[in-house]
Amino acid sequence: MISIFFPLVCSIFMVVAQQATAENYYCIDKGNYTLNSTYHDNLNHLLSTLPNSQNNNGYGFYNLSYGNADDQVFAMALCDGDAMPDSCQRCLNESTHLVQQLCPYQKEVVLWHNNCMLRYSNRSLFGFMESFPRVILYNTQNASSDPDTVEAYFKDLRSLLDNLKSRAMAGGSLKKFALDSIKSAGFKTIYGLVQCSPDLSKIDCNNCLDDSFGNLPGCCNLKKGGVVLGTSCRHRYEDYLFYDISNVTQAPPPSPMPQPPPPPPLTVPGRKKESSATVIVVIVFASTVALGIIMSIFVCLRKRNAKTLMAQTNKHPLISNERMEEVSVESLQYDYETIKLATGNFSKELGKGGFGVVYKGRFSNGQDIAVKKLTGESAQCDVDFKNEVMLVAKLQHRNLVRLLGFSLESRERLLVYEFVKNGRLDHFIFDPTKRENLDWDRRYKIIGGVARGLLYLHEDSRLKIIHRDLKASNILLDEEMHPKISDFGTARHFVVDQTQDSTSRIVGTYGYMAPEYVMHGQYSVKSDIFSFGVLILEIISGQKNCVLEGQHERTENLLTYTWRHWREGNATKIIDPVMRGRRGSEIMRCIHIGLLCVQTNLVDRPTMNNIVLMLNSNSVSLPVPSQPAFYMHSNTGGVNHNQLPQRESVNEASITEISPR
């Protein structure tokens, strides 16, 4: 499938890539296993079992796991939609033998081999849309030397791919695959193919392919063929027939509106046959007109409702009609009564805060959910609701809480999230008993996961998102203690090349807010990095960044406390006592990184790209931090809130206690 292509050299962050002559694969730096360990045995069992027919969904998709707890291995495989069953089986058999040779001892690997993809990991892979890693390849021949001809070529190509995307999305849970061709002026026929992993939702498939198509201008400009291979989706185009259409079962194009059956023949005594024919024509015509009127009324009502919602949305400059249309699809919108039933009439409360209350629920299929029920009747509440829906629906990452849908009925604004089993991070690190369950390995994993989530928001997603309220209570922990960033009600979308914005409406939580934001309303990616630095120091110390008053408490905030001990060479004093004596150098390095993030001058703070590098490589040298931002101090060394800018209202400050778990 890819032998005629030459690889485009791409810099994909935090993934160790190795290119072989015939294979495309990634040995992902997520930890290693040892020879003959339990994990190794589980992996061997799983790979030997995977190609068997009983693991196949019937359309070349495999998903299974083996083992328990930390030694559990998860695997997933997907054959090309046009691959014959014997070809698919042969590809998987070869892949299961190749993969361990190419990436020995790695716990997470992905391999694209011939007409199939195989991946395994020590984490669950099912149902997660992931943009990376991926391989981008292209045909070395240009489509044309004429700019106008090339422009027409790629215009027709985009039309073809968009059509295929719609058909693949509609493919259901067994197979999301489509192929077709289009005639391009002055060219041969353009052939295209798209495929999503069938475990993805309709909206995830849409987002994955949109992201995949976004690589076309950079990788394949002027080229007459290109392919983007991802773990969740792929697409390819050529000016020749490259796929095997003999074994294709793909999603059909959208069906036209069914027409009403013709009425039975009418016979009227004493009339001629011409009269009967006239009556039939009149009735058919009248029925068609009536049906058209009914459909027009239905469409108009839907458009009016959509326009009303969009008109309210347009009052906010950061929300576009395009995104509102994307998240208003039926696959995301839930019926209010369904949610009410799932939550037992909103009876089991998980938490509450400035934006409303969160309830636990369970759908009839057994899926646990968390429902955020927003309170307030102000226009700002509507803006925050739409903002969160449209932002989170576009964001798909392992370290972000997953939005399942929403409801806008009965004057209720509801957000439906995945249920995150272990709840909020602050319930662990600030609790004297629970934080004993967080050893350094788990805390380090949480720091790294939040960093990867922020990196995705700032640099790797199709949108550039500033969270603006990153704090311990907005980090949720799943069953395996992996962190998920939540609460995007105050998040903001930056356009391409935008680096900073300002606002007169200060929202967030004091203690996590960067000084330029508190004093001047200026926010940027460096605002989130300041908050992340505070979070690192809180995770390490088990203490909040606030003034702790009392006979045995310190009378300075955490940043002041940490900086003083750092300058004195006694930074180990800030480490939570339950972790002291364990991996001291690694903990000290994280304290160093935390101090770099909270420096007063935003220019001195590192980017998330650099932070993740610092966290994952001891060979990256760390600059010397300067004094962190302490805001304004009272005589006791604490924060003097009377000197800070005033907010519009209490509810607008996202000092939230809600947790979409």
Side-chain angles (χ1 to χ4, degrees), residues 318 466 468 492 494 500-503 517 521-524 527:
L318 299 175
I466 314 300
R468 295 207 304 168
R492 288 296 176 264
F494 271 19
Q500 183 172 295
D501 203 348
S502 61
T503 180
Y517 184 47
Q522 297 172 348
Y523 60 92
S524 64
S527 309

Side-chain angles (χ1 to χ4, degrees), residues 290-339:
L291 179 63
I293 293 173
I294 293 171
M295 292 301 297
S296 298
I297 293 173
F298 176 75
V299 171
C300 288
L301 286 174
R302 291 198 63 173
K303 285 185 175 180
R304 185 179 67 180
N305 291 337
K307 286 181 179 179
T308 301
L309 188 56
M310 290 178 190
Q312 296 172 350
T313 301
N314 288 335
K315 296 176 183 178
H316 197 283
L318 299 175
I319 300 175
S320 67
N321 285 346
E322 177 186 359
R323 261 182 276 287
M324 189 64 233
E325 291 170 351
E326 289 180 1
V327 299
S328 295
V329 294
E330 294 178 358
S331 61
L332 270 182
Q333 190 159 4
Y334 285 95
D335 178 72
Y336 175 78
E337 291 300 323
T338 300
I339 300 176

Side-chain angles (χ1 to χ4, degrees), residues 94-329:
E94 293 172 357
S95 297
T96 55
H97 290 91
L98 276 171
V99 67
Q100 288 183 288
Q101 299 174 20
L102 297 171
C103 298
Y105 312 127
Q106 245 92 23
K107 285 190 173 182
E108 184 162 346
V109 178
V110 58
L111 165 69
W112 295 270
H113 172 67
N114 292 337
N115 54 12
C116 66
M117 177 199 70
L118 170 66
R119 57 190 300 220
Y120 61 79
S121 177
N122 59 341
R123 63 184 176 91
S124 177
L125 303 171
F126 188 85
F128 290 96
M129 192 282 281
E130 297 177 349
S131 299
F132 298 99
R134 64 179 161 215
V135 173
I136 304 173
L137 310 137
Y138 56 82
N139 194 303
T140 56
Q141 298 180 12
N142 288 338
S144 174
S145 57
D146 179 13
D148 292 336
T149 306
V150 171
E151 182 180 356
Y153 182 80
F154 279 94
K155 181 178 180 181
D156 292 334
L157 171 63
R158 188 57 197 244
S159 175
L160 171 64
L161 292 178
D162 285 342
N163 175 265
L164 292 177
K165 179 184 70 173
S166 298
R167 290 162 58 179
M169 288 166 55
S173 60
L174 294 178
K175 190 173 186 179
K176 288 182 167 63
F177 173 79
L179 51 79
D180 210 336
S181 60
I182 191 173
K183 293 285 186 180
S184 182
F187 276 87
K188 299 177 182 178
T189 302
I190 306 175
Y191 298 87
L193 175 153
V194 303
Q195 185 171 13
C196 286
S197 183
D199 57 312
L200 297 186
S201 66
K202 183 177 180 181
I203 191 67
D204 282 349
C205 179
N206 175 80
N207 291 342
C208 186
L209 288 172
D210 275 351
D211 191 51
S212 183
F213 296 165
N215 289 278
L216 284 176
C219 82
C220 312
N221 194 24
L222 304 180
K223 305 301 180 183
K224 66 178 184 179
V227 58
V228 178
L229 301 172
T231 56
S232 296
C233 65
R234 69 183 183 102
H235 78 273
R236 181 181 177 185
Y237 74 94
E238 291 287 354
D239 66 346
Y240 64 89
L241 183 62
F242 62 89
Y243 46 73
D244 184 1
I245 202 169
S246 61
N247 185 49
V248 173
T249 303
Q250 58 175 333
S255 301
M257 180 64 68
Q259 298 298 320
L266 296 179
T267 56
V268 181
R271 296 292 181 94
K272 296 180 179 180
K273 291 183 179 180
E274 291 80 6
S275 299
S276 299
T278 302
V279 172
I280 292 172
V281 170
V282 170
I283 292 176
V284 170
F285 177 75
S287 300
T288 304
V289 171
L291 179 63
I293 293 173
I294 293 171
M295 292 301 297
S296 298
I297 293 173
F298 176 75
V299 171
C300 288
L301 286 174
R302 291 198 63 173
K303 285 185 175 180
R304 185 179 67 180
N305 291 337
K307 286 181 179 179
T308 301
L309 188 56
M310 290 178 190
Q312 296 172 350
T313 301
N314 288 335
K315 296 176 183 178
H316 197 283
L318 299 175
I319 300 175
S320 67
N321 285 346
E322 177 186 359
R323 261 182 276 287
M324 189 64 233
E325 291 170 351
E326 289 180 1
V327 299
S328 295
V329 294

Side-chain angles (χ1 to χ4, degrees), residues 414-444:
L414 306 175
L415 294 171
V416 183
Y417 289 96
E418 62 174 324
F419 177 77
V420 184
K421 184 176 181 180
N422 281 318
R424 292 170 12 185
L425 173 62
D426 63 323
H427 288 166
F428 281 85
I429 60 173
F430 302 141
D431 185 281
T433 302
K434 286 186 177 181
R435 72 172 181 232
E436 293 183 2
N437 297 320
L438 289 181
D439 58 15
W440 173 242
D441 287 339
R442 284 181 172 174
R443 298 192 199 204
Y444 187 68

